[in-house]
Amino acid sequence: MDKKDLRIIFMGTPEFAVETLKALVENEYNVVAVVTQPDKPVGRHGSVLQPSQVKQYAVAHGLPVLQPEKMKDPDFLEQLRGYHADLQVVVAFRMLPEVVWAMPRFGTFNVHAALLPKYRGAAPINWAVINGETETGVTTFFLDHDIDTGRIIMQRSFDIPDDADVEYVYDGLMRMGAQIAVDTIDRIIDGNGHVDSIPQPSTLDSQLSTIDSPLPLAPKIFKETCQINWQQPVKRVYDFIRGLSPYPGAWTEVTNAEGQQLVLKIYRSRKTTLPKNDLPGTLYMEKNHLYMNCEDCLLELLEVQLSGKKRMPARDFLNGWR
């Protein structure tokens, strides 16, 4: 089978998915259509519709685009069948019903930004950094009925330096995900539509999971998730901050001289061995350095953003803080 004979439908929405679509287009794979989220209203009154980054790339390269509101919509399913796809490739998209993922004769595979079965869920990159992992990676697997549980095709690992934030890991996995998608498709082509895959261990059966140490998951992150709990060791708080930087950003509340409580986002910090000198969550300022008390030590804050202000170095924040 030649790669031009393999009819591929690509499904994705954000920038992370664009890198894989770009790799398929530039390497001349036969992408017959792209499925992405409907345009989102933006602006003060929601009067402007913003297309997804995947749609922008697809339109710029003359690829047909489908944007269903509901994945089981009969009209959408009829359109999808009309492309007679042999394979579907999914990157950073929504959950698919069986009627969609089972449609192509060679199935549907997903590129997931973690080493499954660890970090199943919507935010695997954030949670790997938050949990202080030194390694993560990417996995391609066939979709089945449950989220991120299908048979694994390929995996590649990626080192996480101690000073890396989510942006660094995101960029690395985005490029790695594009390459592993291409390699997975090549395996399918070499096997004339068939490729070896292995079942994932269940949560209960996996040697990675015990009663005391269950498999880490990656649930969706909300604003409340990002509030910092200072009653933890400094290393845990440090990992939490870099695991949410630059987006959506870890935050805490501080009180100014007028007694107002304000939200302070923290983008960069530094672990210290300086013992705490007050209750956890208490600011401490000394010689143009800004610290926050944790459970055991002081955490130095390096880059912050106060409500209604710009992101700035902590020294600039101190110049205007009372």
Side-chain angles (χ1 to χ4, degrees):
M1 179 187 296
D2 187 86
K3 64 182 178 181
K4 292 184 179 179
D5 298 326
L6 185 73
R7 297 176 63 83
I8 299 171
I9 286 180
F10 182 85
M11 300 185 180
T13 296
E15 176 195 29
F16 191 91
V18 173
E19 192 74 14
T20 300
L21 178 57
K22 179 182 176 184
L24 299 186
V25 171
E26 292 183 351
N27 287 283
E28 299 183 345
Y29 290 89
N30 186 17
V31 180
V32 296
V34 171
V35 182
T36 189
Q37 295 278 40
D39 297 355
K40 285 188 174 181
V42 295
R44 191 167 187 177
H45 303 291
S47 56
V48 178
L49 292 178
Q50 177 71 40
S52 73
Q53 289 165 300
V54 162
K55 180 183 177 178
Q56 292 176 49
Y57 181 89
V59 170
H61 291 79
L63 299 174
V65 177
L66 305 179
Q67 296 177 274
E69 291 283 350
K70 297 181 179 179
M71 298 303 291
K72 291 184 179 180
D73 178 80
D75 291 338
F76 165 67
L77 294 176
E78 184 177 352
Q79 283 183 294
L80 203 60
R81 290 190 190 96
Y83 285 103
H84 305 288
D86 302 303
L87 178 71
Q88 290 174 159
V89 179
V90 180
V91 184
F93 197 50
R94 59 207 287 188
M95 186 175 180
L96 301 181
E98 182 175 2
V99 67
V100 173
W101 58 255
M103 192 178 292
R105 60 176 180 149
F106 299 146
T108 300
F109 78 79
N110 181 275
V111 178
H112 187 72
L115 296 174
L116 293 173
K118 297 174 71 175
Y119 295 105
R120 293 170 176 159
I125 303 176
N126 296 93
W127 285 107
V129 181
I130 287 171
N131 290 337
E133 300 281 4
T134 58
E135 181 186 70
T136 184
V138 288
T139 302
T140 53
F141 68 97
F142 285 116
L143 294 188
D144 63 11
H145 294 92
D146 297 314
I147 296 176
D148 301 334
T149 60
R151 295 178 65 90
I152 291 173
I153 308 168
M154 297 181 70
Q155 287 190 317
R156 292 200 179 126
S157 61
F158 181 87
D159 291 336
I160 305 177
D162 184 64
D163 61 349
D165 61 13
V166 159
E167 187 171 42
Y168 172 88
V169 183
Y170 178 99
D171 290 345
L173 295 186
M174 182 170 64
R175 294 188 293 270
M176 185 177 281
Q179 186 57 56
I180 200 173
V182 168
D183 293 343
T184 298
I185 293 171
D186 286 345
R187 280 195 184 185
I188 292 172
I189 291 171
D190 291 342
N192 287 316
H194 301 285
V195 64
D196 291 337
S197 60
I198 59 172
Q200 291 189 47
S202 72
T203 303
L204 296 177
D205 296 338
S206 174
Q207 295 180 354
L208 298 173
S209 176
T210 65
I211 293 175
D212 296 327
S213 180
L215 277 173
L217 298 176
K220 188 175 181 179
I221 290 175
F222 299 94
K223 180 182 178 181
E224 301 75 30
T225 314
C226 302
Q227 184 173 11
I228 301 169
N229 173 15
W230 297 103
Q231 294 183 330
Q232 300 181 89
V234 68
K235 175 66 165 68
R236 289 285 299 163
V237 179
Y238 169 78
D239 290 338
F240 185 82
I241 290 169
R242 67 192 183 99
L244 295 168
S245 179
Y247 182 82
W251 61 274
T252 190
E253 289 185 335
V254 294
T255 306
N256 65 11
E258 288 75 37
Q260 297 174 302
Q261 278 200 323
L262 302 172
V263 170
L264 182 72
K265 281 192 174 183
I266 303 170
Y267 293 98
R268 288 197 307 119
S269 64
R270 179 187 294 130
K271 304 187 297 289
T272 81
T273 55
L274 300 171
K276 69 173 183 176
N277 55 25
D278 209 328
L279 294 173
T282 305
L283 279 173
Y284 171 62
M285 292 156 274
E286 182 183 51
K287 297 179 181 178
N288 291 324
H289 291 274
L290 179 63
Y291 301 94
M292 188 70 86
N293 281 273
C294 298
E295 184 181 72
D296 52 355
C297 299
L298 293 175
L299 179 75
E300 184 175 4
L301 310 187
L302 301 177
E303 196 169 359
V304 300
Q305 182 179 20
L306 196 63
S307 301
K309 304 292 184 180
K310 294 181 179 180
R311 180 172 167 176
M312 64 184 71
R315 180 172 293 186
D316 293 344
F317 168 81
L318 283 172
N319 289 336
W321 176 251
R322 291 185 298 158

